Amino acid sequence: MNVIKKIESSEMTLTTLHSYRTAMENLTIIDHTAVVRMGQVNETDTLVMLADFFLKLAEATASIVFGISGGKLTAIFRNAGFRRDAGKLAQELFADFGTAGGHRSAARAEIPLENIKARLKCSLGYEDFVLQLIKKKLRYRG
């Protein structure tokens, strides 16, 4: 109810509302982490807003929201617990591809698409590749 009240009390555009719908359709829970693949986004601020939003899920103690904008893949990390470190996870996943880091509770990675391209398998797109990395790191069980 608190999340709904917060959404209701803030100003929202149709574009923002569409982003929430896309995020909900592309949500995967991996090891208590809400992982959301957004595809092409106009502004990376949208990813930040969604990462904060999905951190409030009862089933999630962390969130990772990623999308593509301006020739880069951007991933936003949020962590509510003490056992994980968002900055460390961002570095472990993406430091080989671009810039990644942050703090225990919040982090960001920015990867030029060309840095991922060489590692792509024929059938995988950028987002599938990133989701596969995350699943492997978080010990996906489903």
PDB file of all heavy atoms in Angstrom, residues 50-81:
ATOM      1  N   LEU A  50      13.108   2.892 -11.358  1.00  0.00           N
ATOM      2  CA  LEU A  50      12.582   1.529 -11.314  1.00  0.00           C
ATOM      3  C   LEU A  50      13.356   0.638 -10.345  1.00  0.00           C
ATOM      4  O   LEU A  50      12.765  -0.199  -9.663  1.00  0.00           O
ATOM      5  CB  LEU A  50      12.581   0.926 -12.719  1.00  0.00           C
ATOM      6  CG  LEU A  50      11.575   1.561 -13.677  1.00  0.00           C
ATOM      7  CD1 LEU A  50      11.850   1.117 -15.110  1.00  0.00           C
ATOM      8  CD2 LEU A  50      10.146   1.235 -13.265  1.00  0.00           C
ATOM      9  N   ALA A  51      14.662   0.822 -10.266  1.00  0.00           N
ATOM     10  CA  ALA A  51      15.460   0.030  -9.313  1.00  0.00           C
ATOM     11  C   ALA A  51      15.022   0.326  -7.884  1.00  0.00           C
ATOM     12  O   ALA A  51      14.890  -0.586  -7.064  1.00  0.00           O
ATOM     13  CB  ALA A  51      16.946   0.315  -9.499  1.00  0.00           C
ATOM     14  N   ASP A  52      14.771   1.589  -7.585  1.00  0.00           N
ATOM     15  CA  ASP A  52      14.278   1.958  -6.259  1.00  0.00           C
ATOM     16  C   ASP A  52      12.896   1.365  -6.011  1.00  0.00           C
ATOM     17  O   ASP A  52      12.606   0.863  -4.920  1.00  0.00           O
ATOM     18  CB  ASP A  52      14.219   3.480  -6.105  1.00  0.00           C
ATOM     19  CG  ASP A  52      15.593   4.126  -6.063  1.00  0.00           C
ATOM     20  OD1 ASP A  52      16.576   3.431  -5.727  1.00  0.00           O
ATOM     21  OD2 ASP A  52      15.682   5.335  -6.360  1.00  0.00           O
ATOM     22  N   PHE A  53      12.041   1.415  -7.017  1.00  0.00           N
ATOM     23  CA  PHE A  53      10.681   0.886  -6.903  1.00  0.00           C
ATOM     24  C   PHE A  53      10.684  -0.622  -6.615  1.00  0.00           C
ATOM     25  O   PHE A  53      10.014  -1.092  -5.701  1.00  0.00           O
ATOM     26  CB  PHE A  53       9.907   1.176  -8.197  1.00  0.00           C
ATOM     27  CG  PHE A  53       8.536   0.573  -8.242  1.00  0.00           C
ATOM     28  CD1 PHE A  53       7.478   1.155  -7.561  1.00  0.00           C
ATOM     29  CD2 PHE A  53       8.295  -0.573  -8.991  1.00  0.00           C
ATOM     30  CE1 PHE A  53       6.211   0.602  -7.610  1.00  0.00           C
ATOM     31  CE2 PHE A  53       7.030  -1.130  -9.041  1.00  0.00           C
ATOM     32  CZ  PHE A  53       5.982  -0.543  -8.356  1.00  0.00           C
ATOM     33  N   PHE A  54      11.450  -1.390  -7.370  1.00  0.00           N
ATOM     34  CA  PHE A  54      11.444  -2.843  -7.221  1.00  0.00           C
ATOM     35  C   PHE A  54      12.166  -3.316  -5.959  1.00  0.00           C
ATOM     36  O   PHE A  54      11.954  -4.443  -5.523  1.00  0.00           O
ATOM     37  CB  PHE A  54      11.993  -3.532  -8.469  1.00  0.00           C
ATOM     38  CG  PHE A  54      10.980  -3.579  -9.576  1.00  0.00           C
ATOM     39  CD1 PHE A  54      11.041  -2.693 -10.632  1.00  0.00           C
ATOM     40  CD2 PHE A  54       9.941  -4.494  -9.539  1.00  0.00           C
ATOM     41  CE1 PHE A  54      10.097  -2.721 -11.641  1.00  0.00           C
ATOM     42  CE2 PHE A  54       8.982  -4.535 -10.530  1.00  0.00           C
ATOM     43  CZ  PHE A  54       9.054  -3.642 -11.596  1.00  0.00           C
ATOM     44  N   LEU A  55      12.962  -2.480  -5.377  1.00  0.00           N
ATOM     45  CA  LEU A  55      13.587  -2.829  -4.107  1.00  0.00           C
ATOM     46  C   LEU A  55      12.531  -2.965  -3.003  1.00  0.00           C
ATOM     47  O   LEU A  55      12.759  -3.619  -1.993  1.00  0.00           O
ATOM     48  CB  LEU A  55      14.629  -1.770  -3.728  1.00  0.00           C
ATOM     49  CG  LEU A  55      15.483  -2.057  -2.505  1.00  0.00           C
ATOM     50  CD1 LEU A  55      16.249  -3.372  -2.667  1.00  0.00           C
ATOM     51  CD2 LEU A  55      16.457  -0.920  -2.275  1.00  0.00           C
ATOM     52  N   LYS A  56      11.372  -2.382  -3.214  1.00  0.00           N
ATOM     53  CA  LYS A  56      10.305  -2.413  -2.219  1.00  0.00           C
ATOM     54  C   LYS A  56       9.468  -3.688  -2.273  1.00  0.00           C
ATOM     55  O   LYS A  56       8.582  -3.872  -1.446  1.00  0.00           O
ATOM     56  CB  LYS A  56       9.417  -1.182  -2.384  1.00  0.00           C
ATOM     57  CG  LYS A  56      10.188   0.082  -2.091  1.00  0.00           C
ATOM     58  CD  LYS A  56       9.411   1.328  -2.385  1.00  0.00           C
ATOM     59  CE  LYS A  56      10.308   2.519  -2.103  1.00  0.00           C
ATOM     60  NZ  LYS A  56       9.779   3.759  -2.520  1.00  0.00           N
ATOM     61  N   LEU A  57       9.747  -4.568  -3.218  1.00  0.00           N
ATOM     62  CA  LEU A  57       9.032  -5.845  -3.279  1.00  0.00           C
ATOM     63  C   LEU A  57       9.326  -6.671  -2.032  1.00  0.00           C
ATOM     64  O   LEU A  57      10.482  -6.768  -1.612  1.00  0.00           O
ATOM     65  CB  LEU A  57       9.488  -6.660  -4.490  1.00  0.00           C
ATOM     66  CG  LEU A  57       8.852  -6.404  -5.833  1.00  0.00           C
ATOM     67  CD1 LEU A  57       9.514  -7.268  -6.896  1.00  0.00           C
ATOM     68  CD2 LEU A  57       7.371  -6.669  -5.797  1.00  0.00           C
ATOM     69  N   ALA A  58       8.304  -7.296  -1.484  1.00  0.00           N
ATOM     70  CA  ALA A  58       8.490  -8.137  -0.298  1.00  0.00           C
ATOM     71  C   ALA A  58       9.420  -9.310  -0.588  1.00  0.00           C
ATOM     72  O   ALA A  58      10.165  -9.756   0.286  1.00  0.00           O
ATOM     73  CB  ALA A  58       7.138  -8.654   0.191  1.00  0.00           C
ATOM     74  N   GLU A  59       9.412  -9.798  -1.817  1.00  0.00           N
ATOM     75  CA  GLU A  59      10.219 -10.961  -2.195  1.00  0.00           C
ATOM     76  C   GLU A  59      11.651 -10.612  -2.575  1.00  0.00           C
ATOM     77  O   GLU A  59      12.441 -11.492  -2.898  1.00  0.00           O
ATOM     78  CB  GLU A  59       9.570 -11.703  -3.385  1.00  0.00           C
ATOM     79  CG  GLU A  59       8.225 -12.319  -3.074  1.00  0.00           C
ATOM     80  CD  GLU A  59       7.051 -11.327  -3.157  1.00  0.00           C
ATOM     81  OE1 GLU A  59       7.263 -10.144  -3.496  1.00  0.00           O
ATOM     82  OE2 GLU A  59       5.930 -11.754  -2.858  1.00  0.00           O
ATOM     83  N   ALA A  60      11.997  -9.342  -2.557  1.00  0.00           N
ATOM     84  CA  ALA A  60      13.323  -8.930  -3.030  1.00  0.00           C
ATOM     85  C   ALA A  60      14.089  -8.156  -1.959  1.00  0.00           C
ATOM     86  O   ALA A  60      13.539  -7.293  -1.290  1.00  0.00           O
ATOM     87  CB  ALA A  60      13.186  -8.060  -4.282  1.00  0.00           C
ATOM     88  N   THR A  61      15.360  -8.486  -1.818  1.00  0.00           N
ATOM     89  CA  THR A  61      16.246  -7.710  -0.949  1.00  0.00           C
ATOM     90  C   THR A  61      17.227  -6.889  -1.785  1.00  0.00           C
ATOM     91  O   THR A  61      18.043  -6.158  -1.241  1.00  0.00           O
ATOM     92  CB  THR A  61      17.043  -8.627  -0.003  1.00  0.00           C
ATOM     93  OG1 THR A  61      17.790  -9.562  -0.781  1.00  0.00           O
ATOM     94  CG2 THR A  61      16.116  -9.362   0.957  1.00  0.00           C
ATOM     95  N   ALA A  62      17.114  -7.037  -3.109  1.00  0.00           N
ATOM     96  CA  ALA A  62      17.976  -6.282  -4.023  1.00  0.00           C
ATOM     97  C   ALA A  62      17.254  -6.134  -5.357  1.00  0.00           C
ATOM     98  O   ALA A  62      16.302  -6.860  -5.648  1.00  0.00           O
ATOM     99  CB  ALA A  62      19.309  -7.008  -4.219  1.00  0.00           C
ATOM    100  N   SER A  63      17.730  -5.183  -6.168  1.00  0.00           N
ATOM    101  CA  SER A  63      17.179  -5.025  -7.516  1.00  0.00           C
ATOM    102  C   SER A  63      18.288  -4.652  -8.481  1.00  0.00           C
ATOM    103  O   SER A  63      19.258  -3.981  -8.112  1.00  0.00           O
ATOM    104  CB  SER A  63      16.063  -3.973  -7.542  1.00  0.00           C
ATOM    105  OG  SER A  63      16.571  -2.689  -7.239  1.00  0.00           O
ATOM    106  N   ILE A  64      18.138  -5.126  -9.706  1.00  0.00           N
ATOM    107  CA  ILE A  64      19.027  -4.764 -10.810  1.00  0.00           C
ATOM    108  C   ILE A  64      18.121  -4.447 -11.993  1.00  0.00           C
ATOM    109  O   ILE A  64      17.330  -5.291 -12.417  1.00  0.00           O
ATOM    110  CB  ILE A  64      19.983  -5.911 -11.201  1.00  0.00           C
ATOM    111  CG1 ILE A  64      20.810  -6.373 -10.007  1.00  0.00           C
ATOM    112  CG2 ILE A  64      20.881  -5.467 -12.360  1.00  0.00           C
ATOM    113  CD1 ILE A  64      21.608  -7.653 -10.276  1.00  0.00           C
ATOM    114  N   VAL A  65      18.214  -3.231 -12.502  1.00  0.00           N
ATOM    115  CA  VAL A  65      17.417  -2.818 -13.647  1.00  0.00           C
ATOM    116  C   VAL A  65      18.389  -2.359 -14.725  1.00  0.00           C
ATOM    117  O   VAL A  65      19.268  -1.528 -14.459  1.00  0.00           O
ATOM    118  CB  VAL A  65      16.434  -1.686 -13.278  1.00  0.00           C
ATOM    119  CG1 VAL A  65      15.625  -1.267 -14.491  1.00  0.00           C
ATOM    120  CG2 VAL A  65      15.514  -2.120 -12.143  1.00  0.00           C
ATOM    121  N   PHE A  66      18.252  -2.914 -15.921  1.00  0.00           N
ATOM    122  CA  PHE A  66      19.182  -2.531 -16.984  1.00  0.00           C
ATOM    123  C   PHE A  66      18.467  -2.262 -18.293  1.00  0.00           C
ATOM    124  O   PHE A  66      17.395  -2.797 -18.562  1.00  0.00           O
ATOM    125  CB  PHE A  66      20.290  -3.578 -17.153  1.00  0.00           C
ATOM    126  CG  PHE A  66      19.834  -4.959 -17.541  1.00  0.00           C
ATOM    127  CD1 PHE A  66      19.793  -5.334 -18.874  1.00  0.00           C
ATOM    128  CD2 PHE A  66      19.466  -5.879 -16.579  1.00  0.00           C
ATOM    129  CE1 PHE A  66      19.386  -6.615 -19.235  1.00  0.00           C
ATOM    130  CE2 PHE A  66      19.069  -7.158 -16.919  1.00  0.00           C
ATOM    131  CZ  PHE A  66      19.024  -7.531 -18.257  1.00  0.00           C
ATOM    132  N   GLY A  67      19.074  -1.362 -19.074  1.00  0.00           N
ATOM    133  CA  GLY A  67      18.527  -0.989 -20.362  1.00  0.00           C
ATOM    134  C   GLY A  67      19.604  -0.386 -21.235  1.00  0.00           C
ATOM    135  O   GLY A  67      20.735  -0.155 -20.798  1.00  0.00           O
ATOM    136  N   ILE A  68      19.228  -0.112 -22.471  1.00  0.00           N
ATOM    137  CA  ILE A  68      20.165   0.390 -23.474  1.00  0.00           C
ATOM    138  C   ILE A  68      19.785   1.814 -23.866  1.00  0.00           C
ATOM    139  O   ILE A  68      18.621   2.105 -24.140  1.00  0.00           O
ATOM    140  CB  ILE A  68      20.161  -0.525 -24.715  1.00  0.00           C
ATOM    141  CG1 ILE A  68      20.641  -1.927 -24.317  1.00  0.00           C
ATOM    142  CG2 ILE A  68      21.006   0.062 -25.838  1.00  0.00           C
ATOM    143  CD1 ILE A  68      20.456  -2.977 -25.386  1.00  0.00           C
ATOM    144  N   SER A  69      20.794   2.691 -23.880  1.00  0.00           N
ATOM    145  CA  SER A  69      20.586   4.081 -24.264  1.00  0.00           C
ATOM    146  C   SER A  69      21.909   4.662 -24.755  1.00  0.00           C
ATOM    147  O   SER A  69      22.943   4.466 -24.113  1.00  0.00           O
ATOM    148  CB  SER A  69      20.076   4.887 -23.066  1.00  0.00           C
ATOM    149  OG  SER A  69      19.903   6.236 -23.415  1.00  0.00           O
ATOM    150  N   GLY A  70      21.875   5.351 -25.864  1.00  0.00           N
ATOM    151  CA  GLY A  70      23.057   6.044 -26.370  1.00  0.00           C
ATOM    152  C   GLY A  70      24.261   5.144 -26.618  1.00  0.00           C
ATOM    153  O   GLY A  70      25.384   5.542 -26.340  1.00  0.00           O
ATOM    154  N   GLY A  71      24.040   3.938 -27.131  1.00  0.00           N
ATOM    155  CA  GLY A  71      25.151   3.039 -27.436  1.00  0.00           C
ATOM    156  C   GLY A  71      25.768   2.357 -26.222  1.00  0.00           C
ATOM    157  O   GLY A  71      26.819   1.743 -26.325  1.00  0.00           O
ATOM    158  N   LYS A  72      25.093   2.480 -25.065  1.00  0.00           N
ATOM    159  CA  LYS A  72      25.597   1.860 -23.838  1.00  0.00           C
ATOM    160  C   LYS A  72      24.491   1.045 -23.177  1.00  0.00           C
ATOM    161  O   LYS A  72      23.324   1.388 -23.273  1.00  0.00           O
ATOM    162  CB  LYS A  72      26.049   2.909 -22.827  1.00  0.00           C
ATOM    163  CG  LYS A  72      27.279   3.674 -23.193  1.00  0.00           C
ATOM    164  CD  LYS A  72      27.749   4.539 -22.040  1.00  0.00           C
ATOM    165  CE  LYS A  72      26.750   5.632 -21.742  1.00  0.00           C
ATOM    166  NZ  LYS A  72      27.266   6.640 -20.806  1.00  0.00           N
ATOM    167  N   LEU A  73      24.921   0.019 -22.487  1.00  0.00           N
ATOM    168  CA  LEU A  73      24.022  -0.708 -21.600  1.00  0.00           C
ATOM    169  C   LEU A  73      24.287  -0.187 -20.198  1.00  0.00           C
ATOM    170  O   LEU A  73      25.436  -0.170 -19.753  1.00  0.00           O
ATOM    171  CB  LEU A  73      24.264  -2.214 -21.665  1.00  0.00           C
ATOM    172  CG  LEU A  73      23.243  -3.015 -20.866  1.00  0.00           C
ATOM    173  CD1 LEU A  73      22.786  -4.220 -21.664  1.00  0.00           C
ATOM    174  CD2 LEU A  73      23.790  -3.439 -19.534  1.00  0.00           C
ATOM    175  N   THR A  74      23.255   0.285 -19.535  1.00  0.00           N
ATOM    176  CA  THR A  74      23.383   0.807 -18.180  1.00  0.00           C
ATOM    177  C   THR A  74      22.616  -0.110 -17.238  1.00  0.00           C
ATOM    178  O   THR A  74      21.477  -0.491 -17.526  1.00  0.00           O
ATOM    179  CB  THR A  74      22.818   2.238 -18.084  1.00  0.00           C
ATOM    180  OG1 THR A  74      23.553   3.079 -18.976  1.00  0.00           O
ATOM    181  CG2 THR A  74      22.934   2.787 -16.664  1.00  0.00           C
ATOM    182  N   ALA A  75      23.255  -0.473 -16.129  1.00  0.00           N
ATOM    183  CA  ALA A  75      22.615  -1.305 -15.108  1.00  0.00           C
ATOM    184  C   ALA A  75      22.656  -0.554 -13.785  1.00  0.00           C
ATOM    185  O   ALA A  75      23.700  -0.021 -13.398  1.00  0.00           O
ATOM    186  CB  ALA A  75      23.325  -2.645 -14.984  1.00  0.00           C
ATOM    187  N   ILE A  76      21.515  -0.509 -13.113  1.00  0.00           N
ATOM    188  CA  ILE A  76      21.397   0.143 -11.816  1.00  0.00           C
ATOM    189  C   ILE A  76      21.154  -0.935 -10.766  1.00  0.00           C
ATOM    190  O   ILE A  76      20.282  -1.790 -10.943  1.00  0.00           O
ATOM    191  CB  ILE A  76      20.234   1.162 -11.806  1.00  0.00           C
ATOM    192  CG1 ILE A  76      20.401   2.199 -12.926  1.00  0.00           C
ATOM    193  CG2 ILE A  76      20.113   1.821 -10.433  1.00  0.00           C
ATOM    194  CD1 ILE A  76      21.651   3.050 -12.824  1.00  0.00           C
ATOM    195  N   PHE A  77      21.911  -0.881  -9.682  1.00  0.00           N
ATOM    196  CA  PHE A  77      21.844  -1.868  -8.613  1.00  0.00           C
ATOM    197  C   PHE A  77      21.361  -1.199  -7.332  1.00  0.00           C
ATOM    198  O   PHE A  77      21.837  -0.121  -6.982  1.00  0.00           O
ATOM    199  CB  PHE A  77      23.236  -2.443  -8.326  1.00  0.00           C
ATOM    200  CG  PHE A  77      23.848  -3.191  -9.480  1.00  0.00           C
ATOM    201  CD1 PHE A  77      24.365  -2.514 -10.575  1.00  0.00           C
ATOM    202  CD2 PHE A  77      23.932  -4.572  -9.451  1.00  0.00           C
ATOM    203  CE1 PHE A  77      24.935  -3.194 -11.634  1.00  0.00           C
ATOM    204  CE2 PHE A  77      24.512  -5.268 -10.501  1.00  0.00           C
ATOM    205  CZ  PHE A  77      25.011  -4.577 -11.597  1.00  0.00           C
ATOM    206  N   ARG A  78      20.462  -1.871  -6.616  1.00  0.00           N
ATOM    207  CA  ARG A  78      20.029  -1.425  -5.308  1.00  0.00           C
ATOM    208  C   ARG A  78      20.051  -2.625  -4.366  1.00  0.00           C
ATOM    209  O   ARG A  78      19.755  -3.741  -4.775  1.00  0.00           O
ATOM    210  CB  ARG A  78      18.616  -0.825  -5.341  1.00  0.00           C
ATOM    211  CG  ARG A  78      18.517   0.470  -6.123  1.00  0.00           C
ATOM    212  CD  ARG A  78      19.290   1.585  -5.432  1.00  0.00           C
ATOM    213  NE  ARG A  78      19.133   2.860  -6.081  1.00  0.00           N
ATOM    214  CZ  ARG A  78      19.999   3.389  -6.927  1.00  0.00           C
ATOM    215  NH1 ARG A  78      21.090   2.726  -7.268  1.00  0.00           N
ATOM    216  NH2 ARG A  78      19.791   4.578  -7.439  1.00  0.00           N
ATOM    217  N   ASN A  79      20.383  -2.380  -3.120  1.00  0.00           N
ATOM    218  CA  ASN A  79      20.483  -3.438  -2.131  1.00  0.00           C
ATOM    219  C   ASN A  79      19.941  -2.929  -0.809  1.00  0.00           C
ATOM    220  O   ASN A  79      20.327  -1.870  -0.344  1.00  0.00           O
ATOM    221  CB  ASN A  79      21.953  -3.857  -1.982  1.00  0.00           C
ATOM    222  CG  ASN A  79      22.141  -4.972  -1.002  1.00  0.00           C
ATOM    223  OD1 ASN A  79      21.305  -5.856  -0.889  1.00  0.00           O
ATOM    224  ND2 ASN A  79      23.236  -4.936  -0.281  1.00  0.00           N
ATOM    225  N   ALA A  80      19.049  -3.719  -0.185  1.00  0.00           N
ATOM    226  CA  ALA A  80      18.459  -3.313   1.087  1.00  0.00           C
ATOM    227  C   ALA A  80      19.057  -4.056   2.276  1.00  0.00           C
ATOM    228  O   ALA A  80      18.841  -3.666   3.405  1.00  0.00           O
ATOM    229  CB  ALA A  80      16.950  -3.546   1.059  1.00  0.00           C
ATOM    230  N   GLY A  81      19.796  -5.105   2.029  1.00  0.00           N
ATOM    231  CA  GLY A  81      20.306  -5.921   3.121  1.00  0.00           C
ATOM    232  C   GLY A  81      21.759  -5.639   3.436  1.00  0.00           C
ATOM    233  O   GLY A  81      22.395  -4.771   2.843  1.00  0.00           O
TER     234      GLY A  81
END
